[in-house]
Amino acid sequence: MPSFQEALALMEAWTESESLRRHMRAVEVAMRAYARRFGEEEELWAMAGVLHDMDYEKHPEEHPYRAVEELKRLGYPEEVLKAILGHASYTGVPRESLMAKALFAVDELTGLITAAVYVRPDRSILGLELPSLKKKFKDKAFAKGVNREEIRLGAEELGVPLDEHLAFVLEAMKAEAELLGLK
């Protein structure tokens, strides 16, 4: 099985956009945190997070199928492949594993959190608190591209109350603020 460092290098080779790279790192960070919470294999979950959108920039019309095809060829575990397929609702692939549920749950949420940070005067995640994030979540005019229903559904599938999910991912991202360029 490839290592996390190999997965990171693969994502970087497939993705030029710095904002997309940062998004995948944010999802990786959230996946690591949930892996620790659930007692799962952190590196494996991190790989699913860092690779989930690797084909989005070059092959948006074939996302995530193109990535999964390449990852399968490279010997990534089936659990990672299914999680990546399941994070995109339109694939119709059911999210059966805890990893797949977590990936779906954190994907849109990391985007909302990042958008909330970018409108802060200091552009730092460190001062962003849950009440402010909840306000942004409820404001449909804010970050219109973020699918709130998928965030709600993701938390539900994962079995974590929505407020707890928002707080958990926010704290996970705060802990890695420097890595994510959100300090």
Side-chain angles (χ1 to χ4, degrees):
M1 180 176 80
S3 69
F4 175 76
Q5 286 307 322
E6 290 169 312
L8 182 60
L10 180 64
M11 178 275 281
E12 290 173 348
W14 277 58
T15 309
E16 290 178 27
S17 162
E18 195 53 45
S19 63
L20 185 54
R21 284 180 176 195
R22 269 198 296 265
H23 165 68
M24 288 187 277
R25 293 306 303 262
V27 172
E28 168 215 332
V29 161
M31 289 294 286
R32 282 182 183 280
Y34 266 126
R36 287 190 298 271
R37 176 178 173 160
F38 293 130
E40 297 288 337
E41 196 177 329
E42 189 176 326
E43 293 293 294
L44 195 62
W45 283 45
M47 284 192 263
V50 85
L51 294 168
H52 81 283
D53 278 346
M54 71 177 239
D55 61 353
Y56 188 78
E57 188 178 71
K58 290 183 178 177
H59 306 284
E61 68 293 335
E62 297 175 73
H63 168 71
Y65 303 106
R66 185 64 74 93
V68 168
E69 182 181 292
E70 179 66 6
L71 296 173
K72 187 173 192 150
R73 189 184 71 73
L74 294 171
Y76 282 83
E78 191 67 26
E79 185 182 12
V80 170
L81 305 182
K82 282 187 175 176
I84 290 172
L85 286 170
H87 95 276
S89 294
Y90 57 83
T91 64
V93 173
R95 293 177 289 278
E96 296 168 335
S97 71
L98 201 50
M99 177 197 289
K101 291 173 183 179
L103 183 58
F104 179 73
V106 304
D107 186 24
E108 290 288 309
L109 179 52
T110 60
L112 179 71
I113 292 170
T114 301
V117 170
Y118 286 165
V119 298
R120 295 180 54 76
D122 61 1
R123 292 177 66 91
S124 170
I125 196 172
L126 301 178
L128 180 61
E129 297 300 330
L130 182 60
S132 178
L133 179 60
K134 285 170 64 175
K135 202 172 180 180
K136 298 289 188 207
F137 179 83
K138 289 176 184 163
D139 179 0
K140 291 180 184 7
F142 177 77
K144 287 185 219 167
V146 173
N147 187 326
R148 270 85 167 160
E149 194 44 49
E150 286 196 354
I151 294 173
R152 269 192 207 88
L153 178 61
E156 186 181 307
E157 287 181 2
L158 198 53
V160 178
L162 181 60
D163 284 3
E164 188 182 320
H165 179 55
L166 296 175
F168 184 81
V169 175
L170 175 61
E171 291 308 312
M173 289 176 66
K174 279 184 180 183
E176 294 293 342
E178 198 164 324
L179 171 74
L180 302 176
L182 300 174
K183 196 165 186 180

